Amino acid sequence: MEELQRLVDLCRPLYTRGQAASYIPALADKDPSLFFVHIIDEHGKSFSSGDVTEKFTLQSISKVISFIYVCEEHGLDEVLKHVDVEPTGDSFNSIIRLENTYLGKPFNPLINAGAITVSSLLVGNTKEQQLVGLYNFISKMTGVETTINEEVYQSEIVTADRNRAIAYYLKSNEVLVGDVEVALDNYFRQCSIEVDARCLAKIGLILSNDGVDPLTNEYFFSKKIAKVAKALMLTCGMYNASGKFATFVGIPAKSGVSGAVLSIANPESMEGLSGKIGIATFGPAIDEIGNSVTSIAFLKKISEQYDLSIF
Ligand code: GLN
C-alpha cells in the first residue's frame, strides 16, 4: 500500500492552506499539521496512516449518523415530515432560508437547522435516555464505547448563539418538536462525540454496505435509509462545497469542522483493498467553508487514481 502512503505524504503539507476551526476554542488548539487516514474494506483489509487511535470530535459528521438513527427509530416518512432533502448552497449555520422553507421544514438534515430538528426527534422520555440510544447505536457499530469530549461540549454551549436562534425560530414555526433546550443540548453533545479514525471508517463501511456490517453480518439500519443518507451526503455533505466535491471527487462524504471527513466508495481494486470501503480522514486545518484541506486533497487524489467517482 505504498502508493496510498505516497498520496498521504503528498497531501499532508497542504495543511498550510487552512487553519484549525477557531470559533470553538477547544478545536483551535489542535495541531493543524496532523493528518490521519484509515480505510477499511468489506473483507476486513485496511490501510492506516498516522495515529489512527487519536481521538477527534465528530462535529457535523454526527448529523448524518443521528439522521440515520432517528429514521431507523421513527421510519423515514415520519422524519421527512420534519426535514426536507434539498441542498442549500449556503453555509452550514446559515439562517437566510429559514423563513422560506417548503412547508416550514429545514432544507436538509445536514445543515444546522435540519440537524437540530433531527436532534429534537431522538427517542426517549428523558434527555439521558435520548442520548443513550444514539450513543449505543454508535458504540455497536464501532465496537468501542461512545464518549464525548467535555471541553468541546462546553465550548459548543458557550458559542451557540446562532444555533439557539435557529432552534427557537424553528420552534416558533412548530417544526422543532418538544423542548428547545433539550434539542440543543442533544445537538451539542452529538457534535462532541469522540471517535478515532478506525471507528469512523467502520461506520463508513457499514453505511457503504447499506446498513449491515459486512464483517459480522450485523444489521444496523435499512437499505432504504442508507440510500437516503448517501444521497444527502453526496448533495449536502460537504457544506456549500458539495457541488464541487461531487464534481471533482464524486463519492458520498460528510465533513465536520474538527477536520474529519467520513467517505464511502466501492473500488474495483485499490492497493489490495476492494469492494465496499469506509474511509476516515482527519486533518484539523479547514478551509473557509469548513472542510479539511488535506482530507479533500487526498480524497480527490484517490478518486482520480482508483476511479472512485460514482458517475
Ligand atoms: N458544532 C458545530 C456547530 O453547530 C458543528 C459544525 C460543523 O461541523 N459544521 O456549529
Side-chain angles (χ1 to χ4, degrees):
M1 305 202 185
E2 278 161 32
E3 182 55 14
L4 283 172
Q5 185 55 49
R6 191 184 71 83
L7 296 177
V8 171
D9 294 338
L10 209 63
C11 296
R12 187 184 292 108
L14 302 178
Y15 78 87
T16 52
R17 296 186 187 169
Q19 277 178 340
S22 56
Y23 78 108
I24 296 182
L27 297 178
D29 296 342
K30 278 273 180 191
D31 175 0
S33 70
L34 296 174
F35 188 41
F36 311 145
V37 176
H38 190 77
I39 306 175
I40 178 166
D41 80 1
E42 64 180 51
H43 315 288
K45 284 195 186 153
S46 62
F47 165 78
S48 284
S49 178
D51 185 357
V52 291
T53 62
E54 176 161 332
K55 294 203 164 175
F56 47 81
T57 52
L58 281 177
Q59 293 296 336
S60 278
I61 298 173
S62 69
K63 292 169 176 169
V64 69
I65 303 172
S66 61
F67 173 75
I68 290 171
Y69 171 68
V70 160
C71 286
E72 187 62 19
E73 291 291 314
H74 292 286
L76 183 61
D77 295 345
E78 182 56 33
V79 176
L80 295 185
K81 287 181 189 158
H82 297 265
V83 63
D84 210 347
V85 288
E86 285 301 333
T88 64
D90 301 322
S91 62
F92 60 87
N93 57 5
S94 177
I95 55 174
I96 198 149
R97 288 172 200 262
L98 284 182
E99 242 187 320
N100 193 13
T101 59
Y102 174 64
L103 299 177
K105 299 190 271 194
F107 270 63
N108 68 71
L110 304 188
I111 52 171
N112 289 15
I116 298 168
T117 302
V118 166
S119 294
S120 80
L121 299 173
L122 287 173
V123 201
N125 293 330
T126 63
K127 197 163 88 176
E128 286 69 30
Q129 283 174 359
Q130 292 185 357
L131 284 163
V132 165
L134 177 65
Y135 292 172
N136 285 345
F137 180 63
I138 296 173
S139 302
K140 278 198 204 133
M141 286 195 279
T142 61
V144 174
E145 196 194 337
T146 302
T147 53
I148 68 165
N149 181 314
E150 195 59 35
E151 194 195 348
V152 172
Y153 168 60
Q154 294 300 334
S155 279
E156 297 282 346
I157 294 174
V158 297
T159 55
D161 293 338
R162 187 180 270 257
N163 283 331
R164 281 220 154 67
I166 290 172
Y168 278 95
Y169 184 80
L170 292 170
K171 174 75 180 182
S172 77
N173 273 0
E174 293 169 19
V175 174
L176 190 150
V177 294
D179 187 317
V180 186
E181 288 298 329
V182 171
L184 281 164
D185 195 59
N186 286 345
Y187 174 72
F188 302 146
R189 285 183 197 264
Q190 74 175 50
C191 285
S192 313
I193 290 173
E194 283 192 308
V195 292
D196 63 20
R198 287 176 318 181
C199 293
L200 191 58
K202 184 70 192 296
I203 295 172
L205 178 65
I206 293 167
L207 179 58
S208 187
N209 197 42
D210 290 329
V212 175
D213 184 339
L215 307 177
T216 61
N217 274 328
E218 192 174 352
Y219 171 95
F220 290 96
F221 48 91
S222 72
K223 186 171 182 172
K224 186 173 160 190
I225 294 170
K227 277 184 188 294
V228 176
K230 289 181 205 180
L232 281 165
M233 287 164 76
L234 190 86
T235 53
C236 319
M238 302 302 281
Y239 311 128
N240 36 328
S242 300
K244 284 188 192 64
F245 192 85
T247 305
F248 298 112
V249 184
I251 58 176
K254 180 73 203 90
S255 69
V257 288
S258 53
V261 180
L262 165 68
S263 324
I264 62 171
N266 197 352
E268 230 165 76
S269 163
M270 181 169 151
E271 311 295 321
L273 304 176
S274 62
K276 290 166 182 142
I277 59 172
I279 309 166
T281 55
F282 173 68
I286 56 172
D287 59 22
E288 62 287 350
I289 287 176
N291 293 317
S292 163
V293 286
T294 43
S295 298
I296 294 215
F298 176 74
L299 292 166
K300 184 160 183 281
K301 287 257 177 264
I302 60 171
S303 174
E304 285 164 2
Q305 189 130 335
Y306 304 102
D307 195 19
L308 300 185
S309 173
I310 62 170
F311 299 106

